[in-house]
C-alpha cells in the first residue's frame, strides 16, 4: 500500500491513536509499524486476535503488563560484550517476571472464554527463571547490588562499615573536646570526596595538622581531615575500591548470564510486544465502539451505519453503503459541503483499518473486502513548487492510479474531471470512469457534472448516489442516498434567499428542457424516497412494538406457567399432607375401635377392614383423573334398594328417597347422596319394601338430620334431659350403635345428672366417660341397644 494513499486517507492518525493505547514501549513501537495487508487469511487471523483480546478486555477489565520494559538495547549490548548496570539488569528481571505473569493470566482467562490464538502466543513465552532469579538475588528493588551477592562483597562492606564507624567515633571525640570546639565553625562531622572531615574556622588552620579538602564560599570555613584519621580514611578508600571491583565482578557475571539467554529473552520481548499491540487494538475498538467486520476477497462491501473514526460520534452521520453485488461503481453527485468527500474517506479508511486487523466503527455484520490496492485522488493537491494547476495535479494522480490498479483494487475519485472546461471535463470524466469500470475495480467517485447522472443510468453495473440536502433549512444532512442522483438545488436556494422570482423564472428558461425534465424526475424520485423512508420508519416502529408485545406476552406466559406449576406442586403437597394427617387420625380411631372390640364391644372385624379400605381409597391421586361417568339408571331408586355409591365405591341400602337425592345407609353411617351418583345393584324384595315403607311412615322428620353427637354445654339439667331424650330416640331410630353427649367438664353437676338419667333410659345399653382422644370427662359415650 502506497504511503501517499495512507496519508490521503489519514491512516497515520489511526496509528497514532492505536500507539497511545499500548501499555508498554514495546507495544507502542509495534503499533507504529502497523500497515494494512492484502492476504485474506492473514487479515482474518489479525481480526481474530483482536476479537479474542476484546473479549478478555470486556470480561477481565484489563491485562497485567506491569514491569515489562523495552530491554532490547541492554540485551544487544550484553551480546556484544558490554557490562550492564544494575538498573538494566533489574529491568531485564522484571520484564521476565511480567512475561510469565501475563502468560498465567491468559491461561486462566482461557478457562472462562476460548482464546486459542492468544494462548498459543503466550505459550511461547519462556518459563526459565534461572537468570531472573540470579539477578534478583544480587540486586534489590532500588537497583542496588546487595551484600548477599557474594561472600567477598559482604566481607568488604562489613569491614568498610566498621572502619567508617571508627573514623566517626574518633572525630566525634575530637569535636566534643572544649579546646577544639572553639576552633570549629560547627560541631559536626561531614564528608568531602569520600573522606571524613570537620569544619574548622580559617584562623585556626595552623592549629590543625592534616589535609584541607574544601573551602567555603566565604573562605571563613576550611574542611580539614585531621592527621589522626588520615590513615583510617586511606584504609576506607582502599576498601571502597575493593567494593567497586567486587561489584564489577558481580555485574560482569550477571551480564554473562543475560548474554547466554539473549536469544530466549529477545524472543520473549517480541511476543510481549505482539500481545501488547493486540490488546491495544482491543482498547482502541472499545473506545471507538467498533465491531468485528466480516471479510471477503470478492470485492463486496456492505457498510452498516459506518462512522468516520476521526470525527466526533455526536456530529458524524452514519454511512449506509453497499457495492460489489448488483453494481461495482457508485457515482455521487450533488453540491459542495454535502459530505461527499467524508463519505469517500470513510469507505477508504474503514477498508484500511479492517485490512490492518482493526475493528471498524460500524454496526455488527458489516462486510469489507481485502483489496490488493486502494487508490484515492481526494482534495486539491495543487503544487506551487511543481507549477501544477488543480487539473494537472488531479490528472497526475489519476494517471498513476490507472497504471497501478488491478481488478481487485478500490478506487476513490473526488471531483473527477474538475478544474477545466465543463464540457471537456465531463467528457473526460466519463471516459476515465468507463475505463476503470471496465477493469472490474470497485469505484466510488464524486462529481458536479450533470452528464454523469445519465451515464450512471445508462451503464450496467453503475448506480447514482447523492448527498441529501434540506431545501427548507438550506443545509446538507450528510446522508448518502444510493440510487438517487443529486439535484443542483440552485434555483430553490436562490428563491429561499430572496432572489426575485422574475430573475429565477428567466434563469429557468435558459436551462434546456431536457435538463429540466431530469431535475423534475430527480425531485419526484426524492419525494418518493422520503415518503418510502417515512413509511419504512413507521413500519419499523410498528414491528418493534409488535416484537416487544410478543416478548412481553411470552414472558407473561412463561411466568404464568411457572406460577401454575408452583401452585400445582403446593396444592399436591398440601393435599398429601392433609390426607396423611387424616390417615393418621383414622389409624388412631381404628386402633381405638379394635381395642374396644378386644374389650368386648360389638364391633366386627370386617367392618374395621372395610373402613380401612375406604380410607386408603380416599388418598387423592396426583395425576389428573377422568371425569366420572354417571351411572345409568335402570329404574327409579326406591327405599330398600341395594345401590353402589360411585364416588365412594361402596355398597349401601337406600333408606329414603327425595326429589334429587337419597339417604343411603353405608355401614354404620347414613349419608345423603345425589341420585345421579347411585347405581342400582339389587332391588329390595316386595316384603322388605313394605316393611321399610311402614317403618318410614312412623319416622320423625328429624331422622333426616340425625347426628352422632349432642352438645349440651351451657344448659341446665332439666333442659338437657329433655334434649337427651329426644336425641336418643332419633339415634335409636337411625340405628346408631353409639352416640356422644358433650356436657363439658365444669363442676361435674351436669355430667352426674345426665348419667343418672341414662341409667334409667330404655334405649341405653351402657355408657362411659370419653377416652383421651374423645374429649375425656367432658364427654359421655352412650352405647345404644
Amino acid at each position: 500500500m502506497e504511503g501517499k494513499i495512507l496519508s490521503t486517507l489519514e491512516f497515520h492518525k489511526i496509528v497514532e491513536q492505536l500507539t497511545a493505547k499500548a501499555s508498554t514501549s514495546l507495544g507502542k513501537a509495534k503499533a507504529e509499524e502497523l500497515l494494512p495487508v492484502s492476504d485474506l487469511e492473514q487479515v482474518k487471523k489479525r481480526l481474530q486476535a483482536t476479537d479474542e483480546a476484546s473479549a478478555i478486555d470486556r470480561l477481565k477489565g484489563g491485562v497485567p503488563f506491569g514491569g515489562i520494559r523495552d530491554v532490547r538495547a541492554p540485551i544487544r549490548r550484553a551480546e556484544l560484550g558490554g557490562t550492564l548496570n544494575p538498573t538494566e539488569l533489574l529491568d531485564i528481571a522484571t520484564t521476565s517476571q511480567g512475561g510469565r505473569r501475563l502468560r498465567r493470566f491468559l491461561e486462566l482467562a482461557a478457562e472462562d472464554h476460548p482464546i486459542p490464538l492468544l494462548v498459543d502466543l503466550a505459550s511461547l513465552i519462556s518459563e526459565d527463571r534461572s537468570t531472573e532469579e540470579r539477578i534478583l538475588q544480587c540486586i534489590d528493588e532500588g537497583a542496588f547490588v546487595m551484600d548477599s551477592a557474594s561472600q567477598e562483597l559482604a566481607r568488604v562492606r562489613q569491614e568498610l562499615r566498621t572502619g567508617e564507624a571508627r573514623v566517626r567515633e574518633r572525630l566525634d571525640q575530637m569535636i566534643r573536646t572544649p579546646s577544639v570546639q572553639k576552633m570549629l565553625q560547627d560541631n559536626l562531622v561531614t564528608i568531602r570526596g569520600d573522606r571524613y572531615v570537620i569544619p574548622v574556622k580559617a584562623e585556626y588552620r595552623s592549629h590543625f595538622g592534616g589535609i584541607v579538602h574544601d573551602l567555603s564560599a566565604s573562605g571563613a570555613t576550611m574542611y580539614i581531615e585531621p592527621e589522626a584519621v588520615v590513615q583510617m580514611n586511606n584504609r576506607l578508600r582502599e576498601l571502597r575500591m575493593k567494593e567497586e571491583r567486587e561489584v564489577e565482578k558481580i555485574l560482569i557475571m550477571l551480564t554473562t548470564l543475560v548474554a547466554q539467554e539473549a536469544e530466549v529473552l529477545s524472543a520473549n520481548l517480541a511476543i510481549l510486544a505482539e500481545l501488547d499491540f493486540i490488546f491495544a487494538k482491543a482498547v482502541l475498538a472499545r473506545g471507538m465502539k467498533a465491531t468485528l467486520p466480516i471479510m471477503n476477497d470478492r470485492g463486496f462491501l456492505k457498510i452498516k451505519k459506518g462512522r468516520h473514526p476521526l470525527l466526533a460520534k455526536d456530529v458524524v452521520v452514519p454511512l449506509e453503503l453497499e457495492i460489489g453485488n448488483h453494481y461495482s461503481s457508485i457515482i455521487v453527485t450533488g453540491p459542495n459541503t454535502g459530505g461527499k468527500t467524508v463519505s469517500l474517506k470513510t469507505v477508504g479508511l474503514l477498508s484500511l483499518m479492517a485490512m490492518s486487523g482493526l475493528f471498524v466503527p460500524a454496526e455488527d455484520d458489516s462486510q469489507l473486502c481485502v483489496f490488493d490496492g486502494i487508490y484515492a485522488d481526494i482534495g486539491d493537491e495543487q503544487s506551487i513548487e511543481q507549477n501544477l494547476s488543480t487539473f494537472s495535479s488531479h490528472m497526475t494522480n489519476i494517471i498513476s492510479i490507472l497504471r497501478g490498479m488491478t481488478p481487485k483494487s478500490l478506487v476513490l475519485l473526488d471531483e473527477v474531471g474538475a478544474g477545466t472546461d465543463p464540457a471537456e471535463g465531463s467528457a473526460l470524466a466519463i471516459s476515465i470512469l468507463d475505463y476503470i469500470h471496465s477493469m472490474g475495480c470497485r469505484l466510488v467517485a464524486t462529481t458536479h457534472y450533470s452528464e454523469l447522472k445519465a451515464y450512471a443510468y445508462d451503464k450496467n453495473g453503475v448506480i447514482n448516489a447523492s448527498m441529501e440536502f434540506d431545501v427548507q433549512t438550506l443545509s446538507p444532512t450528510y446522508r448518502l442516498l444510493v440510487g438517487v442522483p443529486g439535484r443542483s438545488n440552485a434555483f430553490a436556494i436562490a428563491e429561499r434567499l430572496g432572489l426575485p422570482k422574475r430573475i429565477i423564472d428567466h434563469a429557468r428558461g435558459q436551462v434546456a428542457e431536457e435538463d429540466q425534465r431530469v431535475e423534475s424526475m430527480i425531485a419526484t424520485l426524492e419525494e418518493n424516497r422520503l415518503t418510502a423512508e417515512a413509511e419504512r420508519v413507521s413500519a419499523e416502529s410498528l414491528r418493534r412494538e409488535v416484537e416487544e408485545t410478543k416478548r412481553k406476552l411470552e414472558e407473561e406466559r412463561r411466568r404464568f406457567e411457572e406460577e401454575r406449576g408452583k401452585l400445582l406442586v403446593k396444592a399436591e403437597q398440601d393435599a398429601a399432607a392433609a390426607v396423611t394427617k387424616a390417615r393418621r387420625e383414622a389409624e388412631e380411631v381404628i386402633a381405638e375401635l379394635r381395642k374396644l372390640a378386644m374389650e368386648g364391644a360389638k364391633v366386627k372385624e370386617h367392618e374395621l377392614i372395610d373402613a380401612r379400605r375406604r380410607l386408603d381409597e380416599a388418598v387423592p391421586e396426583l395425576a389428573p383423573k377422568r371425569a366420572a361417568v354417571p351411572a345409568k339408571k335402570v329404574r327409579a331408586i326406591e327405599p330398600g334398594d341395594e345401590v353402589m355409591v360411585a364416588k365412594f365405591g361402596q355398597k349401601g341400602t337406600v333408606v329414603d328417597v327425595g326429589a334429587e337425592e337419597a339417604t343411603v345407609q353405608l355401614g354404620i353411617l347414613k349419608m345423603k347422596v345425589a341420585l345421579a351418583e347411585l347405581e342400582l345393584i339389587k332391588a329390595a324384595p316386595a316384603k322388605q319394601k313394605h316393611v321399610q315403607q311402614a317403618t318410614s311412615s312412623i319416622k320423625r322428620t328429624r331422622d333426616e338430620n340425625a347426628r352422632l353427637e349432642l352438645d349440651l354445654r351451657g344448659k341446665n339439667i332439666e333442659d338437657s334431659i329433655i334434649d337427651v331424650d329426644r336425641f336418643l330416640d332419633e339415634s335409636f331410630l337411625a340405628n346408631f350403635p353409639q352416640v356422644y353427649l358433650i356436657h363439658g367438664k365444669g363442676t361435674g353437676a351436669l355430667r352426674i345428672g345426665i348419667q343418672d338419667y341414662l341409667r334409667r333410659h330404655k334405649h341405653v345399653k351402657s355408657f362411659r366417660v370419653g377416652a383421651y382422644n374423645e374429649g375425656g370427662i367432658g364427654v359421655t359415650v352412650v352405647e345404644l341397644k
Side-chain angles (χ1 to χ4, degrees), residues 340-543:
K340 298 194 300 295
T341 303
V342 172
S343 297
L344 281 183
K345 287 188 174 182
T346 301
V347 175
L349 189 53
L350 295 191
S351 296
L352 289 177
M353 290 175 65
M355 292 167 63
S356 302
L358 299 174
F359 282 12
V360 296
E363 283 193 350
D364 290 332
D365 299 328
S366 291
Q367 299 193 45
L368 292 169
C369 176
V370 175
F371 296 102
D372 62 1
I374 298 178
Y375 301 92
D377 176 52
I378 298 175
D380 187 359
E381 300 181 9
Q382 180 176 349
S383 172
I384 298 176
E385 294 179 358
Q386 297 179 0
N387 194 27
L388 294 175
S389 66
T390 300
F391 177 75
S392 300
S393 175
H394 281 304
M395 282 300 103
T396 301
N397 289 339
I398 291 174
I399 291 170
S400 175
I401 291 172
L402 296 178
R403 289 174 178 172
M405 69 182 188
T406 71
K408 292 187 176 181
S409 298
L410 172 64
V411 180
L412 307 171
L413 301 179
D414 190 25
E415 299 299 342
V416 59
T420 186
D421 178 74
E424 294 181 354
S426 61
L428 189 59
I430 290 174
S431 181
I432 292 171
L433 296 179
D434 204 26
Y435 177 78
I436 296 174
H437 178 67
S438 66
M439 285 285 293
C441 299
R442 298 298 176 263
L443 168 67
V444 182
T446 69
T447 181
H448 278 307
Y449 297 131
S450 59
E451 289 82 359
L452 269 70
K453 301 174 186 177
Y455 167 76
Y457 273 115
D458 295 337
K459 196 71 175 179
N460 188 33
V462 182
I463 191 170
N464 272 312
S466 62
M467 304 306 297
E468 188 178 54
F469 188 88
D470 191 341
V471 180
Q472 300 300 319
T473 61
L474 302 181
S475 60
T477 64
Y478 302 102
R479 291 182 59 202
L480 180 66
L481 307 176
V482 178
V484 179
R487 299 170 57 193
S488 66
N489 296 311
F491 294 151
I493 294 173
E495 186 174 0
R496 290 278 298 171
L497 293 175
L499 189 67
K501 189 174 185 306
R502 181 171 58 85
I503 298 177
I504 295 174
D505 291 340
H506 184 269
R508 284 197 176 100
Q510 304 301 313
V511 178
E513 183 178 350
E514 182 178 350
D515 292 337
Q516 290 187 22
R517 286 201 303 269
V518 171
E519 288 295 319
S520 177
M521 177 193 67
I522 294 174
T524 302
L525 286 174
E526 188 166 357
E527 182 179 349
N528 292 338
R529 182 197 61 78
L530 291 173
T531 301
E533 180 73 12
E535 292 177 352
R536 186 192 65 79
V537 171
S538 176
E540 182 68 18
S541 176
L542 289 174
R543 182 186 64 81

Side-chain angles (χ1 to χ4, degrees), residues 216-232:
S216 67
S218 63
T221 304
M222 305 181 75
Y223 295 93
I224 297 176
E225 179 185 3
E227 287 184 4
V229 297
V230 169
Q231 291 302 322
M232 298 174 70

Side-chain angles (χ1 to χ4, degrees), residues 37-69:
V37 295
S38 299
D39 182 78
L40 178 61
E41 293 304 317
Q42 188 176 354
V43 169
K44 286 184 176 180
K45 189 173 181 180
R46 285 185 175 188
L47 287 171
Q48 182 183 345
T50 307
D51 190 36
E52 292 180 8
S54 295
I56 298 302
D57 179 68
R58 182 178 64 255
L59 297 174
K60 302 297 182 180
V63 183
F65 283 102
I68 298 175
R69 305 284 186 272

Side-chain angles (χ1 to χ4, degrees), residues 237 239-249:
R237 178 65 177 166
L239 290 172
R240 290 191 183 98
M241 293 175 65
K242 284 185 178 181
E243 178 191 21
E244 290 176 359
R245 287 195 295 271
E246 187 60 26
V247 168
E248 186 69 17
K249 288 181 182 179

Side-chain angles (χ1 to χ4, degrees), residues 183 226 235 326 339 359 406-407 428 445 526 587 619 646 667 690 766 780:
M183 294 183 286
R235 177 56 181 165
H326 301 294
F359 282 12
T406 71
L428 189 59
E526 188 166 357
E587 291 285 353
V619 178
H690 177 74
S766 65
T780 296

